[in-house]
Amino acid sequence: TQLLEQSPQFLSIQEGENLTVYCNSSSVFSSLQWYRQEPGEGPVLLVTVVTGGEVKKLKRLTFQFGDARKDSSLHITAAQPGDTGLYLCAADDYKLSFGAGTTVTVRA
Amino acid sequence: DAEITQSPRHKITETGRQVTLACHQTWNHNNMFWYRQDLGHGLRLIHYSYGVQDTNKGEVSDGYSVSRSNTEDLPLTLESAASSQTSVYFCASSESFTREQFFGPGTRLTVL
């Protein structure tokens, strides 16, 4: 099982600010998924990235897969309180392996 | 609408007792998973199943067992609950191992 490191562990910002969350490994991924989890609920898939260098946008969220497919980032532009949650990356290692997550709090 | 449900949502039990957590999905997915979520550890895989009568151990399977008698259900049993098994447990299902996983709402288990 490959180790996925997410940073930072916690992030608290003001509404309207930008933020970036990172997911890194020493191993190469065949694909990587990003999930968001709200308190008291299960994670929900946001996006899957497959190709090295790939960039996907989901409204104000931008996901990037590193050229070497060892790292990924999630950037949120003009964060809103509704973006608050735990962001998890998960690597395709035949079965999914999850990182520990980044807890994002957006203050109104 | 298809969904995945877990019961109970909250459970308090005592050390040494047997506990079974239920998971039911109506997606008709062959693949089902059980995870535990603890602070600082993310989601760790306990057991998974490719289909009926198939079960496999994940990275933290000691003290847990599962059985798959039909497509819809994958109950998780703690044979003799320990305080270290206090956690939030999530069940998930997917069309394939590398496709999107659909998660249930979780069961918060406390072992006293």
Side-chain angles (χ1 to χ4, degrees):
Chain A
T1 303
Q2 56 192 338
L3 178 63
L4 285 172
E5 294 187 358
Q6 289 193 242
S7 61
Q9 188 175 359
F10 299 98
L11 193 56
S12 180
I13 61 171
Q14 201 69 32
E15 181 177 5
E17 295 181 342
N18 301 332
L19 68 95
T20 302
V21 173
Y22 300 92
C23 176
N24 296 291
S25 174
S26 58
S27 301
V28 176
F29 312 144
S30 56
S31 67
L32 187 134
Q33 299 178 6
W34 283 96
Y35 289 79
R36 179 168 66 206
Q37 183 179 16
E38 299 188 12
E41 299 181 8
V44 175
L45 181 70
L46 295 173
V47 77
T48 301
V49 286
V50 179
T51 306
E54 183 176 6
V55 176
K56 281 192 173 179
K57 292 192 175 184
L58 186 65
K59 297 183 180 178
R60 294 175 293 98
L61 279 61
T62 301
F63 303 84
Q64 188 160 7
F65 203 12
D67 292 339
R69 291 186 290 130
K70 291 184 177 182
D71 57 271
S72 182
S73 63
L74 158 59
H75 182 80
I76 301 179
T77 303
Q80 298 177 1
D83 296 324
T84 292
L86 175 66
Y87 289 82
L88 295 158
C89 63
D92 169 14
D93 183 24
Y94 188 68
K95 52 188 179 302
L96 288 185
S97 297
F98 285 83
T102 295
T103 299
V104 172
T105 303
V106 182
R107 305 184 305 275
Chain B
D1 288 346
E3 62 177 358
I4 180 165
T5 57
Q6 294 183 236
S7 63
R9 294 295 311 276
H10 302 272
K11 175 76 175 179
I12 300 174
T13 191
E14 295 177 343
T15 302
R17 289 191 180 267
Q18 183 180 80
V19 177
T20 297
L21 309 183
C23 175
H24 180 80
Q25 55 101 358
T26 57
W27 291 99
N28 200 33
H29 288 156
N30 284 324
N31 304 309
M32 295 184 72
F33 312 83
W34 272 104
Y35 297 90
R36 59 178 289 174
Q37 186 173 38
D38 305 285
L39 279 176
H41 289 280
L43 288 161
R44 291 184 290 175
L45 185 63
I46 304 172
H47 282 285
Y48 59 99
S49 169
Y50 290 100
V52 176
Q53 301 301 330
D54 176 80
T55 61
N56 305 279
K57 293 181 178 180
E59 62 179 305
V60 290
S61 61
D62 288 348
Y64 303 94
S65 63
V66 294
S67 62
R68 188 90 179 270
S69 59
N70 58 53
T71 300
E72 296 79 19
D73 299 290
L74 186 70
L76 177 71
T77 297
L78 287 67
E79 301 294 342
S80 178
S83 57
S84 60
Q85 294 177 308
T86 292
S87 187
V88 181
Y89 291 86
F90 287 97
C91 179
S93 71
S94 73
E95 193 175 297
S96 74
F97 265 72
T98 57
R99 297 289 296 274
E100 174 181 7
Q101 292 195 10
F102 295 84
F103 285 82
T107 294
R108 182 174 294 277
L109 177 67
T110 302
V111 183
L112 301 176

